[in-house]
Amino acid sequence: MPPNALRLRYRAACAAVPTYPEIGATRSASLPPGYAWLRRRVHLGHGVAVLERAGAYVLGWGTQLGSGFGVHPPPARVAAGATALLRIGLPGLRAARLVIPCRVVWTVEEPDRIGFAYGTLPGHPECGEESFVVSMDADGEVWFEVTAFSRPAAWYARLGRPVAAVLQHLAVERYLRVVARAAASS
């Protein structure tokens, strides 16, 4: 996508509102009805150092960048209210990139919990929210969890729902792997 077109898409995304009413719902244990739900987690290790290392990776867009997504504008630390365009190449098409507009709807930085969630904006193939949270339980065990609720928004997502569900599952598995790898590195 030419730089000017990307800038125009970004400006439009900044002016848009999320495409779903349940903004922030991934903070809660119960997810809203009418969506497909996804909740996956992986054990990262033990202790504050693991929590902080993995949390810094997640808040630096590491989950997305490590999974093959580009982030526009160039990523800084995640901040509530920030708008981003996630970009990923489409299989078999050298130049084509899917541009996915989203907004960071909440962040958390607590002694035992670090992460954020983003929600979909107009132009996103899905409608919903996804969170990325590193947490430490009372025993000092550190976990990374991805929680999402979504439903198709674009015609091609509705038409290809089974394929879209598989792609989402593969992306989440990739998220879990890259955060586990980042948490394990010293």
Side-chain angles (χ1 to χ4, degrees):
M1 174 174 283
N4 194 40
L6 194 59
R7 278 192 297 277
L8 290 174
R9 291 278 303 267
Y10 179 69
R11 265 191 252 148
C14 287
V17 297
T19 56
Y20 62 103
E22 304 89 353
I23 297 166
T26 52
R27 269 188 188 220
S28 130
S30 62
L31 297 174
Y35 297 89
W37 300 340
L38 181 144
R39 195 179 307 268
R40 292 273 294 120
R41 74 181 195 154
V42 65
H43 183 256
L44 300 179
H46 184 87
V48 174
V50 174
L51 173 77
E52 290 175 352
R53 188 167 44 251
Y57 185 77
V58 167
L59 291 180
W61 293 97
T63 308
Q64 291 72 26
L65 294 168
S67 298
F69 287 90
V71 180
H72 179 82
R77 187 174 165 83
V78 168
T83 299
L85 300 179
L86 301 179
R87 300 182 307 146
I88 191 153
L90 299 174
L93 302 173
R94 183 177 292 229
R97 293 185 76 77
L98 186 59
V99 176
I100 306 166
C102 59
R103 172 142 326 117
V104 177
V105 295
W106 60 262
T107 62
V108 61
E109 289 187 73
E110 297 170 353
D112 62 348
R113 199 163 175 257
I114 302 169
F116 75 100
Y118 54 59
T120 59
L121 294 171
H124 194 294
E126 298 281 326
C127 170
E129 192 172 292
E130 193 166 32
S131 69
F132 310 89
V133 177
V134 180
S135 62
M136 185 169 61
D137 65 23
D139 296 325
E141 298 303 320
V142 180
W143 300 87
F144 172 59
E145 183 170 75
V146 177
T147 302
F149 62 90
S150 63
R151 62 180 170 228
W155 66 267
Y156 54 87
R158 283 190 295 278
L159 186 64
R161 185 64 184 154
V163 172
V166 168
L167 292 175
Q168 183 181 32
H169 173 77
L170 292 172
V172 168
E173 292 303 312
R174 209 170 31 234
Y175 296 158
L176 298 172
R177 277 195 311 275
V178 301
V179 173
R181 193 174 320 126
S185 66
S186 49

